[in-house]
């Protein structure tokens, strides 16, 4: 957590005030909702997404405004809603080491809580008449839904190319981080070129972030043995796509058959992981991840040095260097 604290340091006061405003934005007249949202708030993660919003705004303007707080709240409400819904879709009973909402209150309540948080995100923007911020988040929610469905469609057919993979992770993961950065820019410099520059910056960070997540499936010395979760769920990740694209026909057939019909067989999954490593799939994925990282950092080059630029640089490096 030391690096996260360093990233947060220049915006510590803003983050504290944001947390107060965020708690208020989640309140409901229904006691059950309040009990559940209290549970969510007390098990929050690192809050990287609101940090992207505030750091971008401060890099461009030196200070934040009420619109920046509004943007950060919208992002966190939508992100939290998507996590609650994801746990229902994935039938996952744990989130960050704690029981998920669907594990404690069942699927029906979890879906309704997710819907409630989505609506709150929209209402925060409408109540403040921040229609430009609403436009940014609406595009992100559409992309996230399409990305998830595209991934499900391709998992059934296993016909995913590298380009389609980038489309999936751009929509599924990168679009929300892109929304964070464009919201931060839009809150202080509406209708400026910076809104698009920082949307692209966030998108590149998100692409690198997802490839790093894909690499965790193959394990590293730091986090222990390979897990193969993505293979078990028939998710086509970049190391696997690279191995498929660089295999002879018989090996390609074996790989596809393994993922389609033997993805629950631990021995076979281990063989697939070993083969992907042998074909250089991990090295290729790392090289692509670093390309996205370097392009993101390149977009910061034209801005003068400041503690906010340093924190954003640290954030981008943290995305690719993190160990979990």
């Amino acid at each position: 957590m030391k690096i996260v604290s360093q990233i947060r340091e220049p915006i510590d006061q803003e983050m504290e005030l944001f947390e107060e405003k965020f708690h208020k934005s989640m309140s409901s007249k229904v006691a059950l909702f309040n009990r559940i949202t209290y549970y969510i708030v007390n098990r929050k993660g690192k809050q990287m997404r609101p940090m992207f919003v505030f750091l971008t705004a401060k890099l461009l303007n030196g200070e934040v405004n009420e619109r920046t707080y509004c943007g950060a709240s919208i992002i966190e409400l939508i992100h939290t809603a998507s996590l609650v819904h994801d746990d229902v879709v994935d039938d996952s009973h744990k989130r960050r080491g704690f029981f998920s909402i669907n594990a404690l209150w069942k699927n029906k309540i979890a879906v309704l809580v997710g819907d409630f948080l989505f609506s709150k995100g929209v209402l925060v923007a409408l109540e403040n008449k921040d229609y430009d911020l609403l436009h940014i988040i609406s595009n992100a929610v559409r992309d996230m839904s399409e990305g998830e469905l595209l991934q499900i469609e391709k998992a059934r057919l296993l016909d995913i190319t590298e380009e389609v993979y980038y489309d999936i992770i751009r929509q599924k993961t990168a679009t929300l981080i892109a929304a964070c950065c464009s919201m931060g820019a839009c809150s202080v410099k509406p209708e400026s070129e910076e809104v698009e520059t920082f949307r692209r910056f966030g998108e590149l960070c998100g692409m690198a972030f997802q490839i790093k997540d894909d690499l965790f499936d193959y394990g590293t010395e730091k986090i222990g043995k390979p897990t193969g979760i993505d293979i078990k769920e028939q998710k086509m990740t970049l190391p696997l796509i690279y191995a498929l694209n660089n295999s002879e026909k018989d090996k390609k057939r074996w790989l596809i058959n393994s993922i389609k019909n033997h993805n629950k067989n631990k021995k076979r999954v281990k063989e697939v992981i070993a083969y992907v490593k042998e074909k250089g799939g991990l090295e290729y994925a790392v090289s692509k991840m670093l390309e996205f990282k370097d392009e993101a950092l390149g977009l910061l080059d034209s801005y003068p040095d400041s503690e906010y630029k340093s924190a954003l640089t640290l954030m981008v490096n943290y995305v690719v260097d993190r160990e979990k």
Side-chain angles (χ1 to χ4, degrees), residues 59-99:
L59 172 77
L60 293 174
N61 198 49
E63 56 186 33
V64 301
N65 56 32
E66 202 52 46
R67 276 164 53 81
T68 318
Y69 287 103
C70 175
S73 292
I74 294 166
I75 286 287
E76 197 68 348
L77 283 162
I78 299 297
H79 175 57
T80 307
S82 70
L83 295 182
V84 173
H85 280 172
D86 281 352
D87 287 339
V88 175
V89 171
D90 298 336
D91 198 24
S92 175
H93 290 165
K94 284 283 180 84
R95 166 72 58 183
R96 299 178 185 131
F98 296 98
F99 285 113

Side-chain angles (χ1 to χ4, degrees), residues 27-234:
S27 65
S28 162
K29 289 175 185 173
V30 179
L32 178 59
F33 267 128
N34 289 330
R35 200 154 67 243
I36 295 168
T37 54
Y38 179 81
Y39 179 82
I40 291 169
V41 164
N42 282 285
R43 281 146 193 83
K44 64 180 183 291
K46 300 181 191 80
Q47 295 187 302
M48 302 299 274
R49 285 160 188 83
M51 283 159 67
F52 267 119
V53 177
F54 288 116
L55 286 171
T56 302
K58 292 203 90 170
L59 172 77
L60 293 174
N61 198 49
E63 56 186 33
V64 301
N65 56 32
E66 202 52 46
R67 276 164 53 81
T68 318
Y69 287 103
C70 175
S73 292
I74 294 166
I75 286 287
E76 197 68 348
L77 283 162
I78 299 297
H79 175 57
T80 307
S82 70
L83 295 182
V84 173
H85 280 172
D86 281 352
D87 287 339
V88 175
V89 171
D90 298 336
D91 198 24
S92 175
H93 290 165
K94 284 283 180 84
R95 166 72 58 183
R96 299 178 185 131
F98 296 98
F99 285 113
S100 59
I101 303 303
N102 49 303
L104 293 172
W105 284 281
K106 307 301 179 197
N107 283 352
K108 186 175 182 179
I109 288 176
V111 169
L112 292 169
V113 168
D115 290 347
F116 171 78
L117 294 171
F118 269 119
S119 70
K120 278 283 189 176
V122 171
L123 284 167
V124 166
L126 287 174
E127 283 162 6
N128 292 285
K129 296 185 170 57
D130 289 318
Y131 304 120
D132 48 356
L133 302 186
L134 180 59
H135 186 72
I136 290 168
I137 199 62
S138 298
N139 282 334
V141 172
R142 178 202 60 204
D143 288 349
M144 287 157 66
S145 305
E146 285 184 350
E148 287 287 356
L149 285 167
L150 181 59
Q151 185 171 56
I152 291 166
E153 179 186 68
K154 294 300 178 182
R156 286 176 181 165
L157 302 170
L158 296 184
D159 65 345
I160 186 168
T161 62
E162 194 172 324
E163 281 312 304
V164 170
Y165 165 80
Y166 291 136
D167 284 342
I168 290 170
I169 68 168
R170 187 177 290 112
Q171 290 184 297
K172 202 181 87 146
T173 303
T175 192
L176 194 60
I177 298 174
C180 297
C181 299
S182 57
M183 274 215 193
C186 190
S187 71
V188 294
K189 291 201 168 184
E191 297 179 29
S192 68
E193 284 179 17
E194 267 94 356
V195 178
E196 173 55 27
T197 299
F198 278 88
R199 185 206 65 77
R200 179 65 179 153
F201 170 79
E203 184 177 83
L204 292 162
C205 291
M207 301 290 277
F209 180 93
Q210 187 57 56
I211 296 173
K212 180 68 172 185
D213 259 16
D214 292 351
L215 287 163
F216 286 144
D217 201 49
Y218 292 86
T220 67
E221 289 172 20
K222 289 175 183 170
I223 54 169
K225 293 176 183 176
T227 59
I229 295 294
D230 288 337
I231 294 165
K232 287 169 194 162
E233 293 177 359
Q234 296 184 327

